[in-house]
Amino acid sequence: MKKFFKIAAFVLATFAFSACASTTGGGSVGADRGQMMLVSEAAMNEQADSQYAEVIAEARRNKTLNPDQVTTERVRNIARRLIAQCGVFRKDALNWNWQVNVIQEDTVNAWCMPGGKIVVYTGIIDSLKLTDGELAAIMGHEISHALKEHSREQSSKQVLADVGVSLISEVAGLGDLGSLALALGVQYGLTLPFSRKCETEADNMGTELMARAGYDPHEAVNVWVKMNKLGGSSVPQILSTHPSNDSRIKNLTEVSETVYPLYQAAAK
């Protein structure tokens, strides 16, 4: 028992120490929330580089990498404008080894790995018939995940959660079923809400990026209006890693008004 309390005290102290810094400045949307980082940035970036290389190599083998020069250049132009504004959140990102590619696939998705490795699937462009502003909203959101290092933060929280569940299960003698119940409680009570928080944070930061890049931030709202119309199966927000479309529309309607003056200034 004495050993348990020593370990628990160490874990709590580590959490307190790690949660005092933010990877980004606040910008106009207040993105300077303190973060817990137990996983190293170098390790996350190395893993991301390896995974990105695999994705690009497979797309090249399948002849689905950047199949249309016009679409590829469109995506890269939007990316360049957004990346140029990243300094408002973190200046070091301006010197990242950014890579931007398009993959021909029906997947309605886009992503940005740690360190600035971006992929946009043609499925999201075609299915939603995206304008440049709407595409900027999506890419700004994904870039913001990388800027705020959400993957690293989530991995760190998972490490701490796993340690906590293991310690409590051991001391309380919960057994397999009890440990499973505790792990599910952590997932629904902590992990999923935090994931939704990260998505909202990326929405907010991405909308500021697009406004500063000269794209009307109200187009970020349009993305989720279109997603609602696209339909498809969904789960209740409480069980999801993402906020509901309606929640995002409500939030982005407010955020777009907040950053609209930045768009007006950029458009002059």
Side-chain angles (χ1 to χ4, degrees):
M1 182 65 72
K2 188 176 180 180
K3 182 179 180 182
F4 162 74
F5 282 119
K6 286 183 178 180
I7 295 173
F10 173 76
V11 171
L12 290 174
T14 301
F15 174 81
F17 178 78
S18 302
C20 63
S22 174
T23 57
T24 63
S28 295
V29 296
D32 53 352
R33 171 183 61 81
Q35 297 170 274
M36 181 191 70
M37 296 298 192
L38 302 178
V39 178
S40 76
E41 181 179 2
M44 290 299 297
N45 287 348
E46 182 179 354
Q47 183 180 29
D49 288 349
S50 176
Q51 291 175 341
Y52 192 79
E54 290 178 9
V55 170
I56 296 305
E58 181 179 5
R60 187 173 284 117
R61 286 194 300 270
N62 296 336
K63 294 182 171 50
T64 58
L65 181 66
N66 302 320
D68 177 64
Q69 185 175 355
V70 173
T71 299
T72 301
E73 191 56 29
R74 178 192 179 200
V75 169
R76 287 177 173 171
N77 279 335
I78 293 171
R80 279 191 283 268
R81 289 174 60 174
L82 293 168
I83 292 167
Q85 303 303 320
C86 287
V88 69
F89 293 117
R90 53 185 300 171
K91 295 188 183 302
D92 67 309
L94 297 173
N95 297 317
W96 285 358
N97 180 26
W98 292 91
Q99 296 181 39
V100 185
N101 286 286
V102 177
I103 293 179
Q104 186 175 358
E105 190 176 296
D106 290 340
T107 303
V108 181
N109 199 13
W111 42 261
C112 180
M113 285 185 175
K117 307 298 186 291
I118 299 171
V119 160
V120 176
Y121 294 96
T122 56
I124 196 167
I125 299 173
D126 297 338
S127 296
L128 299 181
K129 295 180 173 56
L130 295 173
T131 65
D132 283 1
E134 291 163 356
L135 185 51
I138 291 170
M139 294 176 67
H141 169 96
E142 300 303 333
I143 287 171
S144 296
H145 277 310
L147 294 176
K148 195 65 180 176
E149 296 189 64
H150 283 148
S151 294
R152 181 179 166 213
E153 187 178 12
Q154 288 177 317
S155 294
S156 299
K157 284 186 176 290
Q158 190 61 54
V159 168
L160 189 64
D162 290 345
V163 170
V165 168
S166 178
L167 283 172
I168 293 172
S169 298
E170 180 70 23
V171 172
L174 296 180
D176 291 343
L177 288 178
S179 296
L180 177 59
L182 180 60
L184 287 174
V186 170
Q187 180 181 7
Y188 292 117
L190 297 175
T191 305
L192 291 178
F194 175 70
S195 179
R196 294 192 292 270
K197 180 178 181 178
C198 289
E199 291 299 323
T200 299
E201 193 168 49
D203 279 349
N204 297 349
M205 292 172 64
T207 304
E208 179 167 347
L209 284 178
M210 68 180 293
R212 290 181 179 275
Y215 297 101
D216 186 342
H218 294 106
E219 293 205 66
V221 179
N222 295 349
V223 171
W224 296 103
V225 171
K226 286 185 174 183
M227 287 293 286
N228 262 344
K229 291 179 179 177
L230 190 63
S233 61
S234 62
V235 297
Q237 178 170 286
I238 194 172
L239 303 178
S240 176
T241 56
H242 289 57
S244 68
N245 293 349
D246 289 339
S247 293
R248 297 179 97 153
I249 289 170
K250 180 181 179 181
N251 174 63
L252 286 170
T253 298
E254 297 174 0
V255 173
S256 62
E257 288 299 320
T258 299
V259 301
Y260 191 73
L262 300 174
Y263 162 68
Q264 291 177 307
K268 288 181 180 179

